[in-house]
Amino acid sequence: MKPALFSVLCEIKEKTGLSIRGAQEEDPPDPQLMRLDNMLLAEGVSGPEKGGGSAAAAAAAAASGGSSDNSIEHSDYRAKLTQIRQIYHTELEKYEQACNEFTTHVMNLLREQSRTRPISPKEIERMVGIIHRKFSSIQMQLKQSTCEAVMILRSRFLDARRKRRNFSKQATEILNEYFYSHLSNPYPSEEAKEELAKKCSITVSQVSNWFGNKRIRYKKNIGKFQEEANLYAAKTAVTAAHAVAAAVQNNQTNSPTTPNSGSSGSFNLPNSGDMFMNMQSLNGDSYQGSQVGANVQSQVDTLRHVINQTGGYNDGLGGNSLYSPHNLNANGGWQDATTPSSVTSPTEGPGSVHSDTSN
DNA sequence: TTAAATGATTCATG
DNA sequence: CATGAATCATTTAA
């Protein structure tokens, strides 16, 4: 009975054999899977142990837009990444093990059955192939979710926008001081940036960012910055006035000088008249000592600024734009401040002018 | 909780 | 490559 059944089964198998062979297509390298693999490899999740991971992370950080010299968050990021990697590897191993176990189990089963029905090695191979495909699809899901996790991690840690901190009050003070005292050409040189960065304990890139933002935002709505401009211009003007006065050896500068702590809004320049005259003489070239040559221009800027500001300061700034920022043409854009346009007299016209109060 | 301020990024440009 | 413009995401002020 048994041999008869066996032979019948053999016959059936002969007939179906072809169709089985036909259905034996080489599974094509799934592009989706390859993409995931590549990505995991690139992120250092599926690569070799440590080295690849940090290198890839560094490369990713560099690629995602420079200036990531933050080391604290970076190590944090790396820690999370290794955590992901561990989970990924343990899961992967688990699946692999399960796959192997299942495969051997099935093979044992088939071997056992081969005593009662005909089973070719080809068939066993095919069975194994099916099992592997099933498990690899599970692996793909694992890879996919891992990729998602990595992406989230990256956007969380490598995108600095998410962990923005405001600069210290002092830092913005320094930056603003520079900005408003170089308002005619607020483009700090590389050295100046470094200096500012050092003073503010921020990076050069941050200084560049700050100036980029400041320029664009200042230009966009000058009215909004008038008060600030006055404040800082006045602040630096006080020091500038002293500096210029010292340079010109104008003897009568012995004011108590509250440095720059308060000095809000109302700027009572000690003797603005004299100061202004000094400026005129400076600009008029009647002064030849010029030890201060390089700095003078910026101070001139500052002073002219504050003077201009004073001109239209105390009528409501609702309409604003009553002060045309020198060197800032109508269309906007500072356009290299080549010609400082000689110190024009400070628009004496409407209302009170340059900081008198005391007379 | 919403609006404004602010630092950073992205993208186009010259 | 530095800058301007637009935009994002967060912090701070209202």
Side-chain angles (χ1 to χ4, degrees):
Chain A
M1 182 59 190
K2 214 171 179 183
L5 186 59
F6 193 92
S7 65
V8 169
L9 287 171
C10 274
E11 263 181 55
I12 293 171
K13 195 166 168 53
E14 280 299 315
K15 287 177 192 160
T16 58
L18 284 175
S19 67
I20 288 174
R21 221 160 304 160
Q24 184 115 13
E25 84 271 4
E26 264 315 300
D27 61 327
D30 190 350
Q32 175 84 4
L33 181 60
M34 286 203 11
R35 232 188 28 168
L36 290 174
D37 269 335
N38 286 340
M39 180 170 165
L40 288 174
L41 206 61
E43 294 299 332
V45 173
S46 64
E49 252 317 297
K50 279 281 184 190
S54 64
S64 86
S67 79
S68 61
D69 34 8
N70 37 15
S71 52
I72 301 165
E73 297 93 353
H74 206 273
S75 68
D76 201 357
Y77 166 79
R78 220 153 43 199
K80 298 268 185 190
L81 192 65
T82 53
Q83 200 175 328
I84 287 176
R85 192 230 304 272
Q86 274 175 0
I87 291 171
Y88 170 77
H89 275 137
T90 55
E91 290 295 303
L92 201 64
E93 206 169 317
K94 221 156 59 182
Y95 287 153
E96 227 151 76
Q97 195 178 336
C99 180
N100 285 337
E101 277 176 19
F102 191 70
T103 305
T104 55
H105 177 71
V106 166
M107 276 172 79
N108 285 339
L109 218 59
L110 287 175
R111 254 200 292 277
E112 203 176 305
Q113 285 189 358
S114 72
R115 272 178 288 170
T116 57
R117 67 188 184 94
I119 296 175
S120 66
K122 197 89 179 172
E123 205 170 357
I124 294 175
E125 194 182 310
R126 183 168 147 274
M127 209 61 198
V128 171
I130 289 170
I131 293 168
H132 279 166
R133 265 198 290 281
K134 284 286 176 215
F135 272 89
S136 76
S137 82
I138 293 171
Q139 278 188 13
M140 193 166 100
Q141 273 181 298
L142 171 66
K143 284 174 182 174
Q144 191 149 18
S145 55
T146 305
C147 273
E148 276 171 30
V150 170
M151 291 307 266
I152 290 168
L153 185 70
R154 277 192 57 169
S155 70
R156 195 78 162 281
F157 280 81
L158 260 40
D159 188 354
R161 283 180 292 198
R162 291 185 184 274
K163 52 181 168 28
R164 183 175 74 72
R165 300 281 104 144
N166 288 353
F167 295 155
S168 71
K169 199 79 180 167
Q170 189 186 358
T172 55
E173 196 103 326
I174 291 166
L175 293 167
N176 272 315
E177 233 165 75
Y178 188 98
F179 180 80
Y180 287 110
S181 65
H182 297 72
L183 200 52
S184 64
N185 190 34
Y187 296 84
S189 65
E190 207 53 38
E191 301 89 60
K193 280 182 195 171
E194 278 170 32
E195 174 103 12
L196 286 168
K198 199 170 159 189
K199 272 200 244 179
C200 301
S201 41
I202 58 179
T203 67
V204 175
S205 316
Q206 285 177 304
V207 173
S208 295
N209 284 339
W210 190 91
F211 271 89
N213 284 323
K214 192 71 183 180
R215 280 191 299 266
I216 193 70
R217 283 163 183 165
Y218 176 84
K219 199 169 68 178
K220 215 163 196 163
N221 191 353
I222 292 165
K224 198 161 58 181
F225 289 94
Q226 269 193 341
E227 202 175 343
E228 193 178 68
N230 288 331
L231 200 149
Y232 282 101
K235 195 178 292 184
T236 58
V238 172
T239 63
H242 287 164
V244 171
V248 182
Q249 292 174 342
N250 188 349
N251 41 14
Q252 58 180 13
T253 58
N254 51 359
S255 52
T257 74
T258 58
N260 55 358
S261 51
S263 89
S264 65
S266 68
F267 34 91
N268 306 345
L269 297 181
N271 35 19
S272 66
D274 279 347
M275 181 186 76
F276 184 67
M277 295 305 276
N278 287 340
M279 297 310 303
Q280 287 253 332
S281 65
L282 269 174
N283 223 38
D285 200 41
S286 72
Y287 169 69
Q288 66 241 63
S290 90
Q291 293 278 29
V292 286
N295 290 344
V296 164
Q297 186 52 54
S298 72
Q299 289 164 356
V300 168
D301 279 344
T302 297
L303 293 169
R304 201 170 66 235
H305 182 76
V306 73
I307 288 164
N308 279 342
Q309 290 290 304
T310 318
Y313 179 61
N314 59 356
D315 49 358
L317 57 161
N320 63 35
S321 79
L322 45 81
Y323 134 72
S324 71
H326 50 266
N327 293 354
L328 183 59
N329 60 21
N331 287 340
W334 270 268
Q335 285 197 351
D336 56 341
T338 49
T339 47
S341 73
S342 76
V343 177
T344 56
S345 71
T347 65
E348 199 97 15
S352 68
V353 272
H354 46 82
S355 72
D356 56 334
T357 61
S358 64
N359 178 23

